[in-house]
Amino acid sequence: MTDSSLDPIRLGLIWQRLNGIVDQVSETFIRAAFSTVVRENYDMAFSLLDVRGRQFAQSKRSIPSFIGTLPRTLAAVVEKFPIETLRPGDVIITNDAWIGTGHLNDISMIYPIFIGDALIAFAGSTAHSVDIGGAPSPTAQDCYEEGLCIPICKIVEQGAENPIVIDFLTENLREPAETLGDIRAQFAAYHDCQQKLAHVLDDEDLDNLDDVIEEIIARSSKSMRDVIADLPDGRYCDEFTVDGFDAPLTIKCAVTIDGDSIDVDFAGSSAQIDRPINCVLNYTYAYSCFALKCLLDPEAPNNSGSFETVTVQAPEGSLFNASRPAPVWGRHLTGHYAPPAIFGALAKVLPHRVIAESGSPLWNVYFKGHQEKDHSPFVKMFFMNGGHGARPSSDGPGCLSFPSNVSNQPIEVFENQAPLLITEKCFVPDTAGDGKFRGGDAQRISFRSNATTPITMTIRHERITYPPRGLLGGNDGAPGQDLINGKTIPAKSRQILAPGDVATFQMPGGGGLYSPGERSKEAISRDLKRGLLSPAQAQDSYGHDHE
């Protein structure tokens, strides 16, 4: 194919086919997966990368952090296994936190795609494994306590599974069938992806995808550079305090715009601590890029070209760039603060694009115990979302995650997997941050133990002391709460649920945007009618007299 044959219409058609392929093969993975966290929560990603390691397509269901870290994972893989040593049918695996997504529970794999003897691309995928062995704990003091670390190795070599890798996974996991089922589901997706790419090359009479990828990446790069170039040069900063562990911690962020480039620097943030809320730089980079993409150039195709002009830095040994062997199991408790820090820094420059803070970092709960029927061990996780931050032209939705985008799982599915009953799941009145646009309402959810033996429950929650901030005159959302049988428990702790105990979690409400005095009377009346704004709160925040 010559450059002259790559006209915009043909490029668009090929691009759409590539997008369709990654969406189709990610569904192959999801439907073949064993775990609920993949099938229902979509805590996974699937992407295509070129032979230079640049990402050029990804599935729509992908988690932002996984998409942002896969190119860096591939770079580490080819450093250990140079491209010339790779063979058709190889699959390389790792969950090293500093190479992958920042903690051991996310397993990443790379599959070289050959057409004949020619390497044309890589498929990369990541999936969360609820159990990765060990005894991860909110009080872990190093990463060695947090489970099995899989070094970069070949789990499949020229189409044959490596029995040594399979054995050490089987012997170290509590539910190996589930994790290995998810891993093998990705093998099926790789095979499907290779066949579909070969079909595209044949249909389009192409030897490879090099020219297509180069053009797609160049266009995304130009689009992002043009947007940045339109912004006023300068250094814009934000600083705020977060719950931390034993003591509050500081988040500092400086965004520097210089021509068509942008730099994000977390210097001045607290140093890493000996508790598992530290974040590796890969994860910081991923969520910083995601925030900038959402804020500046959301419509252009998302690929490595979008971030050629973006740099992200943090001092080594800090919360946002933790050094080994720091504990990192709850790295999202720091990493999810990157987007609100960037939005806070750029709020005065882009007041009609930013959103207020959401009820995140993402909340979840781990339950570990034994099944009633056969006493087999189980480890299950349930994701819970607080209120989304208010948006520039509308209220924030309730129960919607940001910056992570994991999905909810049906209550009935969860209850079928563990001896727990969800007794309550509801919105909570007067928890949204008030403003011209209100934040999303908090939700409350309760779990009752129906087991005849104790269940170990582990939580790692933020926004208990320092709630989601409102922006540009908006009010803060409500803080979160964690309780057992109505009594408050520490937000980062391991608890034992006795039979009949009820654990209740009230997530934070989203922050409001712009002054409450700008909210329309019609919107306030609607809030009152819905029952999520009380007359007393309407009077206090808006000066509204309810008739």
Side-chain angles (χ1 to χ4, degrees), residues 174-189:
R174 294 173 180 83
E175 296 186 86
E178 180 173 280
T179 300
L180 288 171
D182 285 355
I183 287 172
R184 289 173 174 135
Q186 290 165 84
F187 297 166

Side-chain angles (χ1 to χ4, degrees), residues 47-64:
S47 70
L48 289 173
L49 307 99
D50 72 357
V51 294
R52 293 167 54 187
R54 300 176 301 173
Q55 193 170 67
F56 63 91
Q58 70 277 316
S59 61
K60 292 183 177 64
R61 292 196 191 277
S62 297
I63 297 292

Side-chain angles (χ1 to χ4, degrees), residues 74 137 267 369 527:
L74 175 56
S137 162
D527 299 334

